[in-house]
Amino acid sequence: MVAPGLGAVCALLLLVRAPGRGVTASGGGGEGPLHRTLLSPDIGRHAGPGGCSHRDPESDSAWDLEECDSAFFTFREMDCEPRGSPACESIISRNTEKILSQAKSLAEQKRLPFVTDDQDTNEELAIGYVLVGSGLHDEAVKHFSSMLQENADLVSAIYGRGIAYGKKGLQDIKNAELALFELSRVISLEPDHPEVFEQRAEILSPLGRISEALSDLTRAIQLQPSARLYRHRGTLYFISEDYVAAHEDFQQSLELNQNQPIAVLYKGLTFFHRGLLKEAIETFKEALKQKSNFIEAYKSLGQAYRELGNFEAAMENFQKALMLNQNHVQTLQLRGIMLYHHGSLREALTNFKRCLQLEPYNEVCQYMKGLSHVSMGHFYEGIKAQTKVMLNDPMPGQKASQEYLKVKYLREYSRYLHSHLDTPVTEYNIDADLPGNFKDHWAKNLPFLIEDYEEQPGLQPHIKDVLPQNFESYKPEIQELICVADRLGTLMQYETSGFLPNKRIHRAMGLAALEVMQAVQKTWMNSKVRINGKTRLMQWRDMFDIAVKWRRIADPDQPVLWLDRMPAQSLIRGFNNHINLIRGQIINMRYLEYFEKILSFIKDRIIIYHSANNPRGLSEVKEALEKVHKVEDLLPIMKNW
């Protein structure tokens, strides 16, 4: 099949997708939008004393690749030497004699920020910086404060005290305020030093003051552009989700220094988050050329292939990441999610269990573990896992995760399904059984704040979970039906980018097609069907309800609800059922096939409009429209004519 068409009947049926994940109403079985923060490696890690981080040898964080390239403790006159060199190792020592020796060496080599003309003063300053580098931050503050009592405008001491306050810990707002105050004093006294602006930006960004941090980095770049500064500013743009600006900065950084795997990775991520998956894939491959054991690049490459719908390539790259580190939690999580949405529930469950062994409080893996169990009919284990997510209340002021918001609905729906396990599926219907407010909140992914809601029945001991079945245990005629269903289901897979094949959805829709055929055949024989415990004439909705039923069974994560069975007030407030081909910077890869047709249609509408209202300027409008190939190019035409 080509890209999906939009049938009129679909307007009546609401399939709501949670923002972070979900399967579309289409047969492709691919899942949600591209904005999974899990794809991104840790952002904003600062280097340790002396510009060299105290790196965990087991860690493979992307930032460890260039930890010696931070301005947090940068001396303008020196570049940080490779890890293991005396310049990096000596900073760790806390022995008094060694501190004095190190300080003298730094002073003699003038490897200090804002070095003075007086050797004794430089040695005193160097002692303060070595104290900072040794982790003795309080002692460093006292040392610099003592020097400032004698000379209040000693810039290097002000700068050193600001660094010491920052190193004490920005989680204490007093330290952050004192650090910012000191750095601002340095800037007022010495306004032409880019490293001070960069240092202040590194204090501002963890406080959420991104626009101020960007302003400081821009000023630093104006004073002395460097690959590091462009990369740092690009990272902040990336955090701010301004992926176009971030891409430009990473590109500028790479033009100044090509050998930066982390910058190449983030350049690829700017493509990924804009929906430019093919460009992202090529960029991640470039990062791997620079660093062949780059786990973050393999993980990101796997995720990009997964979003493109290429299951085999995604699995290959997730596997390569796990070969480098079998305990890489993010890769296990992402691979598990992909396996779930590929219909491989048992394999997915294995990944989530391993993820939780390594990280017991991982909400995503806990949620997906519960979802996988329920999808397989293991309600006891599923609801137990869901309850653990519910107990993980967000801290005051902390934004609740998507999993926390969704899990209460999933838990109630799981209870509902369990209570009806021994009831024929034709005898119950969630559109009629579930309360209207519950359906409204569930469909809109609102917080679970429903007045007078009566919980679904708890797990009943006499209702047993679904027993696992082997294909060989089925009778030959059942096996044949399943095989036919599998063949029918695969016919609905969209052969366009962005749709991950889901064999569970395929089988469900194949079985739905067979049941519809059987129902129609019975109707031709006696014109009646049994629905919700009643026998009546078959209607068109009954056929669609068969497909809806199988769709609900295939994935309990999503509310599949008829719009006309929703509460009246819910319909008045409306549902977002639009599909965006392009929204701001973001391209919807799944429906890009429609872009040229829709753009051409809009051009035709503009010409028709001007033919009626501006015939004199029509030739100019036509000439301008011939040059339009992007949505952005339409805006000047709309404004000028």
Side-chain angles (χ1 to χ4, degrees), residues 467-511:
L467 295 175
Q469 300 289 326
N470 293 322
F471 182 77
E472 292 75 15
S473 66
Y474 293 121
K475 296 178 180 178
E477 57 268 26
I478 301 297
Q479 292 183 9
E480 185 179 356
L481 278 175
I482 293 172
C483 291
V484 171
D486 287 347
R487 290 196 295 272
L488 286 173
T490 56
L491 295 176
M492 66 185 306
Q493 175 67 36
Y494 294 141
E495 298 299 334
T496 188
S497 298
F499 290 95
L500 182 73
N502 187 326
K503 57 187 180 183
R504 183 177 170 88
I505 296 290
H506 290 168
R507 176 170 292 180
M509 294 297 97
L511 291 168

Side-chain angles (χ1 to χ4, degrees), residues 74-174:
T74 299
F75 302 146
R76 292 187 71 216
E77 287 77 19
M78 80 176 215
D79 293 324
C80 186
E81 298 176 30
R83 187 186 296 118
S85 69
C88 291
E89 289 181 346
S90 62
I91 295 296
I92 302 173
S93 173
R94 298 189 180 188
N95 181 278
T96 302
E97 184 178 339
K98 286 187 177 181
I99 287 176
L100 293 174
S101 174
Q102 293 162 16
K104 185 175 181 180
S105 176
L106 288 175
E108 288 175 351
Q109 297 176 48
K110 294 186 177 182
R111 293 161 63 185
L112 294 169
F114 303 103
V115 67
T116 71
D117 295 328
D118 183 79
Q119 182 63 17
D120 291 337
T121 301
N122 289 339
E123 287 189 15
E124 285 293 312
L125 289 168
I127 290 172
Y129 283 109
V130 174
L131 288 170
V132 173
S134 300
L136 303 172
H137 306 132
D138 288 324
E139 289 79 358
V141 168
K142 292 176 184 177
H143 183 80
F144 286 125
S145 297
S146 176
M147 296 188 70
L148 289 168
Q149 286 178 354
E150 298 180 10
N151 184 353
D153 292 331
L154 186 57
V155 176
S156 188
I158 300 171
Y159 184 61
R161 189 162 68 176
I163 289 176
Y165 279 128
K167 298 286 280 183
K168 282 181 69 175
L170 299 182
Q171 64 272 19
D172 186 339
I173 192 64
K174 291 182 180 179

Side-chain angles (χ1 to χ4, degrees), residues 574-588:
F575 290 90
N576 181 12
N577 56 4
H578 297 287
I579 295 175
N580 294 309
L581 271 68
I582 297 176
R583 186 178 72 247
Q585 307 174 29
I586 301 167
I587 294 171
N588 189 334

Side-chain angles (χ1 to χ4, degrees), residues 376-387:
M376 295 165 65
H378 306 159
F379 288 89
Y380 285 84
E381 287 297 323
I383 292 174
K384 185 168 68 174
Q386 294 162 16
T387 304

Side-chain angles (χ1 to χ4, degrees), residues 594-612:
Y594 291 125
F595 178 77
E596 290 298 333
K597 293 180 180 179
I598 294 176
L599 185 63
S600 177
F601 173 80
I602 293 172
K603 289 180 182 180
D604 290 341
R605 296 302 95 189
I606 292 173
I607 291 173
I608 291 171
Y609 172 82
H610 282 283
S611 297

Side-chain angles (χ1 to χ4, degrees), residues 559-576:
V560 185
L561 304 163
W562 286 101
L563 276 176
D564 61 352
R565 301 295 297 275
M566 298 292 284
Q569 287 298 319
S570 177
L571 290 175
I572 291 171
R573 288 190 291 267
F575 290 90
N576 181 12

